[in-house]
Every structure is written in structure tokens, then in C-alpha cells.
């Protein structure tokens, strides 16, 4: 039986100076000992061992306090490793006046929540207010206990791959079992299912879902799939960088904001294995990390996030803007922001569609990386997303082959990525090359490659093909509602003006705002906007700018 003390959330302090360590713990116990288990360690290694034991017991950790200057493992290194064990714990660095640069570095490396200068006496003024605020944020945060969801499926099942990708992109831990292996078979038997029912998802409570839809899967793992209200100030459609930026700024500035996402927050950027040129993160971060931080930030400010809902229509009903879902339900708002981004174009080569999800993947499909160990991997595309995937997969694969139709990467990829690729020995770039056919028995086994410079074709063995071949907007649901360009991108602001005239049907005395579409009160931001910059930073900026314009629009209603 778990004792009351061990059931309490933990606050852990680590400092190699015994006197300082005892002093920190004494002050913490005096204030928080009744509700929290106060632990201390005198080295990073011993603190990590304590955190591993807490993890095995399923005990949450609320706050980590680490001294910067410790031999063997400094405070930043400790907090970085501790994040893998307890990612939702709030992080504090103890520094001297001379070490404030270290604290600034830690903000980027370990997403530091606060740093305290030693000494902190009196604690009533310098320690307790900080810890109080961190504990309040930890308690109110949407962090989830790490329950073990089990997925049983087939290695070459497209739907099994989609389920795993859905869970991974939504930051939901799971364990993967093959249906034809002993443990997978035992789980299917216990669930009263067979291999024909796969994928089978067994949630932490032991409930089995047979071949669940995304909405059923989302509901089973605790994601919010239904709006709590019927009318909002702002509806954000799409959870990529632009949509998340708008959700953060909209909610933080007092707008009742709801964000609707079809699959998972982050968009295409959320699938990136590493983003190294985003302002403020000199050491880089993954797209999943960026998306998770932005999602938590939006929720903290009060934005409502709806997942696994498909938007199929937009209507204008007087001053209300109505968003329709595929199940026939709808929600309304004063304003709407379209931030649906773009999706990868389908590859036209014969066989590619047949093997999608069975060896052929659009985007990074990071869940497949472990299965690429010691195998040749092929990537089609020459933009940054392809380069980031190549660098990531090179850690696992025998050889990563980048196939591009251009004669070099310089025309489409950032210079820093080209330099990285040139320094990685198992990445090979094939210029003037494209896939002309895919073949296999039940899954991808071979590719036919054509060198357009020589006209020759070669057949190669391949079980993994990742496609980054440009993207297009999916905006057919906006047909006859907002004006789009020939490629389907949404026109806004000055791009709507023709010879200085306002768009057809525009009845307001003012011209459209910069990010406003041909429908007043409906805005657009990010990659789905015509002539947008197609960069994470610009998408976030447009999301923030759109909120400013929404305020202007609502104020005039």
C-alpha cells in the first residue's frame, strides 16, 4: 500500500554544498511539507536516480531546484536530463550573481521557469513567492500522468501507422506491439479481439478500441473533442504555428478563443525533427517541443483547444461567422481565423499511393525512425523539412539518400542545413533524380529511380520512402465563400484590391485589413495565405497580427 507521504507530489532540491542543501530543504519543508514530499540530493547523479525511482512508482514531481555550479554535472545538465523523466515539473536554477549568463542559457536549453540568486533570505520575500507561483502553475497546467496506452497492430498497416503518428504528435505516450508476436497476441486475446480487428488500442483503464477513428482515439486518451460553448469571440481553424500564435495572443488579450485542429497541434512544423533557425533557440528544438510549449501556453491563458474535428464549411449569418463540422454540428463567433496551412502533394509515380503508410510516408513519420536502423532510407525533396528529416534519420539508418530534381540543394535549402548534411558521412545527395515507380508485395520493397541528366533508370531495394515534395492548401471547403488564387491559397488585404477597387461584394466603407479575407471578420494567417513567407517565425507573427486586427474589427461592430 502507498503511504500518504509517498503519494504526495515531490519537490526535489539538488546542491553539492551540504549546508546550502539543508538550508533549502528546511525552508521548503517549513512552507510546503504538509502537502508535498520534500527531497534533497547532493549531486546530479543521485538526484536523477531519485527521479527514476519516483517515475517507476508513478509519483509526480512538481518542482526541481538545482544549483548551477556542481562538479561532474552542473545544474543545466541535470535539468536537461530530468526533463526526460518528468517533463511537466517546473524548473528552477540557483545561481550566484556571476552566473546570470548561465540562467539565460538555461531558459533556452531546459525551458527554465525561474532562476534564484543566492542567498535568498528572507524566504518569505525571495523564495516562497516564486515557489508559490510555480506550484500554482503546475497544478493548473494540463499535464497528464504518464499512463501506458497500448497499440497492437501490423508492421505494414497504414492505419496502424496513422494511429501511432496521431498519438506521437499529440504527445501521448504509448507502447507498440506487433499482432503476430506473443505479447501482442496475448493482448488481443485479453481484449476479445483478433488480428483482423487491428489496430487495437488499449487505454490505461484497460478499455479496448477496435480500429478506432481519430475522434474515438482522441476521446479515449483524454483529448478535448467537443467545444464547451456555442459562441466565441474568435475561432481559430488550424493548430500550426500561425493558429497557435493566434490562440496565445487572442486568449491572453481577453478574447474568448477556441482553436480547432483536425489531427494534432504543430502542423507541418510539428513534424520537424529539429528547428535550428527559430529566434531565441540557438541550440534548436524539435517541432514537437515547440508545438507542445505553444499549446500549453495557449491553455494557460484560457484558450480552448478542440482536437480531431474536421471543419467542412463556413457561413455568414448577419454579424456571426459560423463554422460547420463534418458531424453536422457548428459553432459561431464574431470572427474567424483560417490557419489551416498546407499538406504535402501526392507523388504521381505508380505504386506510391498503394504503399502509403506501408513503407511510404508523407512528412517525417518520426515513429518509423527506429525501424530504419541499419537500412537504406530514401527521401524525396530539397527543402528544409527534407534536410531536417535526413539529419534525424541519419542517426538510425545505414544510408540516407536524398533525391532531388534540381542540380543542387542550394536553390531550396537553408545554408546551415546544407553544411550539416555535407558533414554527415551516411547522407548521399542524388541531384537530377526522381522516383518513377514503387513496387513490393504488401509493402514497399523496391524503387525505380531515374537520373534526368543521363536518362538512365535504376532499381534499388528500399523499405522506407519519405516524401517532402511541396505542398498545397486544402481550401475547397471555402469555395464560393472567400476569394482564393488559382492555386487555392486565400487572398487577403491588399491582394484583394483590383486596380485600387475593393473586392466584389465588399460592403464596408473601409478596405479589408491586411490579413482580412474577402469576407469581413474572416482572417487568414500562415502558409495558407497567398504569397506568405512559408516560415515558422512569420506564421507565428501573422497569427499575432491577426489578433490585433480582430480587435479592430470587433470594436467597430
Amino acid at each position: 500500500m502507498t503511504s500518504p507521504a509517498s503519494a504526495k507530489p515531490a519537490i526535489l532540491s539538488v546542491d553539492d554544498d551540504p549546508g546550502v542543501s539543508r538550508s533549502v530543504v528546511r525552508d521548503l519543508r517549513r512552507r510546503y511539507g504538509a502537502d508535498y514530499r520534500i527531497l534533497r540530493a547532493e549531486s546530479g547523479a543521485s538526484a536523477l536516480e531519485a527521479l527514476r525511482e519516483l517515475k517507476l512508482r508513478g509519483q509526480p514531481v512538481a518542482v526541481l531546484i538545482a544549483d548551477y555550479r556542481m562538479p561532474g554535472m552542473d545544474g543545466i545538465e541535470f535539468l536537461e536530463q530530468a526533463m526526460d523523466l518528468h517533463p511537466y515539473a517546473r524548473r528552477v536554477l540557483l545561481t550566484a550573481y556571476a552566473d546570470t549568463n548561465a540562467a539565460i542559457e538555461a531558459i533556452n536549453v531546459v525551458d527554465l521557469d525561474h532562476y534564484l540568486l543566492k542567498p535568498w533570505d528572507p524566504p518569505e520575500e525571495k523564495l516562497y513567492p516564486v515557489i508559490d507561483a510555480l506550484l500554482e502553475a503546475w497544478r493548473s497546467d494540463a499535464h497528464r500522468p504518464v499512463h501506458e496506452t497500448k497499440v497492437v497492430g501490423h508492421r505494414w498497416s497504414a492505419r496502424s501507422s496513422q494511429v501511432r503518428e496521431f498519438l506521437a504528435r499529440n504527445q501521448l505516450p504509448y507502447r507498440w506491439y506487433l499482432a503476430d508476436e506473443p505479447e501482442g497476441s496475448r493482448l488481443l486475446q485479453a481484449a476479445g479481439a483478433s488480428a483482423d480487428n487491428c489496430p487495437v488500442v488499449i487505454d490505461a483503464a484497460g478499455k479496448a478500441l477496435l480500429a478506432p477513428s481519430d475522434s474515438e482515439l482522441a476521446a479515449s486518451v483524454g483529448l478535448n473533442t467537443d467545444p464547451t460553448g456555442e459562441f466565441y469571440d474568435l475561432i481559430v481553424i488550424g493548430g500550426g504555428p500561425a493558429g497557435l500564435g493566434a490562440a496565445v495572443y487572442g486568449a491572453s488579450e481577453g478574447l474568448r478563443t477556441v482553436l480547432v485542429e483536425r489531427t494534432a497541434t504543430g502542423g507541418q512544423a510539428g513534424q520537424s525533427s529539429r528547428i535550428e533557425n527559430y529566434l531565441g533557440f540557438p541550440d534548436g528544438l524539435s517541432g514537437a517541443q515547440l508545438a507542445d510549449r505553444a499549446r500549453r501556453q495557449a491553455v494557460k491563458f484560457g484558450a480552448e483547444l478542440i482536437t480531431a474535428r474536421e471543419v467542412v464549411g463556413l457561413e455568414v449569418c448577419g454579424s456571426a461567422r459560423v463554422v460547420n463540422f463534418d458531424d453536422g454540428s457548428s459553432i459561431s463567433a464574431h470572427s474567424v481565423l483560417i490557419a489551416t496551412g498546407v499538406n504535402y502533394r501526392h507523388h504521381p509515380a505508380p505504386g506510391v499511393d498503394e504503399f502509403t503508410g506501408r513503407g511510404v510516408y508523407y512528412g517525417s513519420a518520426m515513429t518509423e525512425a527506429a525501424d530504419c536502423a541499419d537500412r537504406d532510407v530514401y527521401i524525396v525533396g530539397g527543402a528544409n523539412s527534407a534536410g531536417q528529416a535526413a539529419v534525424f534519420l541519419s542517426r538510425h539508418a545505414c544510408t540516407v539518400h536524398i533525391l532531388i530534381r534540381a542540380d543542387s540543394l542550394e536553390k531550396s535549402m537553408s545554408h546551415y542545413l546544407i553544411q550539416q548534411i555535407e558533414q554527415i558521412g551516411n547522407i548521399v545527395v542524388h541531384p537530377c533524380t526522381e522516383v518513377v515507380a514503387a513496387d513490393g508485395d504488401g509493402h514497399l520493397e523496391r524503387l525505380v529511380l531515374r537520373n534526368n541528366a543521363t536518362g538512365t533508370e535504376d532499381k534499388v531495394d528500399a523499405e522506407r520512402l519519405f516524401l517532402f515534395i511541396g505542398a498545397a492548401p486544402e481550401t475547397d471547403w471555402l469555395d464560393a465563400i472567400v476569394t482564393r488564387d488559382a492555386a487555392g491559397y486565400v487572398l487577403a488585404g491588399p491582394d484583394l484590391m483590383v486596380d485600387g477597387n475593393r473586392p466584389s461584394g465588399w460592403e464596408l466603407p473601409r478596405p479589408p485589413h491586411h490579413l482580412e479575407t474577402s469576407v469581413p471578420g474572416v482572417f487568414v494567417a500562415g502558409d495558407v495565405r497567398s504569397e506568405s513567407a512559408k516560415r515558422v517565425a512569420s506564421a507565428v507573427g501573422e497569427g499575432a497580427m491577426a489578433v490585433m486586427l480582430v480587435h479592430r474589427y470587433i470594436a467597430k461592430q
Side-chain angles (χ1 to χ4, degrees):
M1 174 181 276
T2 303
S3 68
S6 63
K8 297 177 182 177
I11 298 175
L12 173 66
S13 171
V14 52
D15 195 307
D16 66 302
D17 185 331
V20 173
S21 180
R22 286 191 294 269
S23 178
V24 173
V25 168
R26 179 199 65 219
D27 289 339
L28 291 174
R29 282 179 178 156
R30 183 187 306 160
R31 176 87 166 204
Y32 307 105
D35 299 314
Y36 294 87
R37 186 182 178 195
I38 311 300
L39 303 174
R40 74 181 181 96
E42 294 184 2
S43 72
S46 61
L48 288 173
E49 184 60 31
L51 290 177
R52 293 187 188 99
E53 291 181 10
L54 294 172
K55 186 72 171 180
L56 290 173
R57 296 173 187 167
Q59 184 175 354
V61 176
V63 177
L64 297 169
I65 304 172
D67 183 56
Y68 171 61
R69 290 184 178 272
M70 294 189 296
M73 179 187 300
D74 67 30
I76 296 177
E77 293 172 326
F78 162 73
L79 289 173
E80 190 171 14
Q81 294 187 45
M83 286 173 66
D84 295 332
L85 293 168
H86 297 274
Y88 299 108
R90 300 293 163 164
R91 294 172 283 276
V92 179
L93 192 69
L94 293 177
T95 66
Y97 284 103
D99 296 327
T100 52
N101 285 338
I104 295 171
E105 177 189 352
I107 291 172
N108 289 320
V109 176
V110 298
D111 199 15
L112 191 70
D113 293 295
H114 203 90
Y115 68 90
L116 285 171
L117 294 175
K118 298 186 292 185
W120 57 84
D121 287 328
E124 289 77 8
E125 295 180 11
K126 298 183 179 180
L127 177 65
Y128 296 154
V130 171
I131 302 301
D132 286 346
L134 294 178
L135 289 174
E136 181 179 357
W138 179 81
R139 287 191 298 267
S140 62
D141 197 2
H143 60 278
R144 310 177 189 90
V146 182
H147 297 303
E148 186 179 75
T149 296
K150 304 175 182 67
V151 180
V152 185
H154 303 292
R155 185 185 304 278
W156 301 114
S157 161
R159 184 54 187 159
S160 293
S161 176
Q162 291 166 359
V163 166
R164 295 170 64 197
E165 192 76 1
F166 180 91
L167 293 171
R169 291 187 60 193
N170 280 288
Q171 304 287 303
L172 297 166
Y174 70 92
R175 184 168 294 184
W176 165 243
Y177 300 88
L178 290 172
D180 56 359
E181 292 185 348
E183 186 60 22
S185 297
R186 285 191 287 269
L187 287 170
L188 290 177
Q189 183 179 11
S194 69
D196 295 335
N197 301 126
C198 288
V200 173
V201 178
I202 304 169
D203 66 18
K207 179 182 177 182
L209 302 174
L210 310 185
S213 65
D214 282 357
S215 58
E216 291 171 333
L217 185 58
S220 75
V221 295
L223 295 177
N224 188 19
T225 59
D226 296 306
T228 60
E230 297 181 355
F231 197 89
Y232 297 82
D233 293 318
L234 172 63
I235 300 172
V236 180
I237 306 173
L244 286 167
V248 168
Y249 281 93
S252 67
E253 293 177 12
L255 296 177
R256 189 178 183 198
T257 303
V258 60
L259 183 150
V260 182
E261 168 55 44
R262 180 171 59 183
T263 305
T265 52
Q268 284 192 345
Q271 295 176 278
S272 175
S273 56
R274 200 72 179 168
I275 301 172
E276 297 190 71
N277 59 350
Y278 188 65
L279 183 67
F281 293 89
D283 297 307
L285 77 170
S286 71
Q289 288 174 318
L290 180 62
D292 181 59
R293 293 175 184 182
R295 178 194 60 78
R296 289 190 284 120
Q297 195 172 15
V299 170
K300 181 186 76 171
F301 285 121
E304 188 177 329
L305 269 60
I306 308 298
T307 306
R309 295 300 295 267
E310 181 83 22
V311 174
V312 297
L314 176 65
E315 298 179 37
V316 176
C317 296
S319 62
R321 305 294 178 258
V322 181
V323 171
N324 298 317
F325 298 121
D326 59 351
D327 63 356
S329 63
S330 64
I331 54 176
S332 304
H334 291 300
S335 61
V336 171
L337 176 67
I338 301 166
T340 49
V342 292
N343 287 313
Y344 289 110
R345 293 190 179 96
H346 283 266
H347 198 288
V352 170
D353 280 348
E354 178 185 351
F355 297 120
T356 299
R358 294 185 290 163
V360 175
Y361 306 95
Y362 286 88
S364 63
M366 293 173 64
T367 55
E368 301 295 327
D371 291 333
C372 295
D374 301 322
R375 299 179 184 274
D376 284 353
V377 171
Y378 289 81
I379 293 176
V380 176
N384 280 6
S385 54
Q388 290 160 351
V391 172
F392 177 75
L393 291 170
S394 68
R395 305 170 191 168
H396 305 271
C398 177
T399 305
V400 177
H401 301 270
I402 302 179
L403 314 178
I404 56 173
R405 290 189 293 182
D407 56 8
S408 75
L409 292 171
E410 294 178 357
K411 297 178 180 179
S412 55
M413 191 176 292
S414 294
H415 180 64
Y416 82 91
L417 264 178
I418 296 175
Q419 288 184 311
Q420 284 188 27
I421 288 170
E422 289 174 347
Q423 295 171 5
I424 299 175
N426 65 333
I427 297 181
V428 180
V429 180
H430 300 265
C432 307
T433 302
E434 62 180 314
V435 174
V436 296
D439 188 28
D441 182 12
H443 64 91
L444 179 67
E445 294 179 306
R446 291 169 294 277
L447 294 172
V448 179
L449 309 181
R450 181 173 63 208
N451 186 310
N452 293 326
T454 63
T456 59
E457 292 187 358
D458 291 308
K459 183 175 286 189
V460 297
D461 293 333
E463 287 190 345
R464 295 292 190 283
L465 173 66
F466 298 92
L467 300 171
F468 302 85
I469 53 174
E474 292 185 352
T475 54
D476 290 346
W477 61 280
L478 292 168
D479 192 28
I481 302 296
V482 302
T483 303
R484 298 172 293 156
D485 64 17
Y489 292 92
V490 178
L491 294 168
D495 293 333
L496 288 166
M497 309 295 284
V498 179
D499 297 327
N501 297 317
R502 294 165 188 169
S504 175
W506 186 269
E507 299 179 353
L508 298 181
R510 62 167 177 82
H513 292 307
H514 183 69
L515 297 177
E516 195 169 21
T517 71
S518 58
V519 177
V522 177
F523 299 83
V524 62
D527 289 1
V528 72
R529 184 178 68 83
S530 180
E531 302 298 326
S532 63
K534 308 297 187 291
R535 287 290 186 268
V536 173
S538 62
V540 172
E542 287 188 9
M545 183 190 298
V547 170
M548 177 188 70
L549 300 175
V550 165
H551 274 291
R552 291 183 186 176
Y553 170 78
I554 292 177
K556 297 294 184 180
Q557 296 305 297

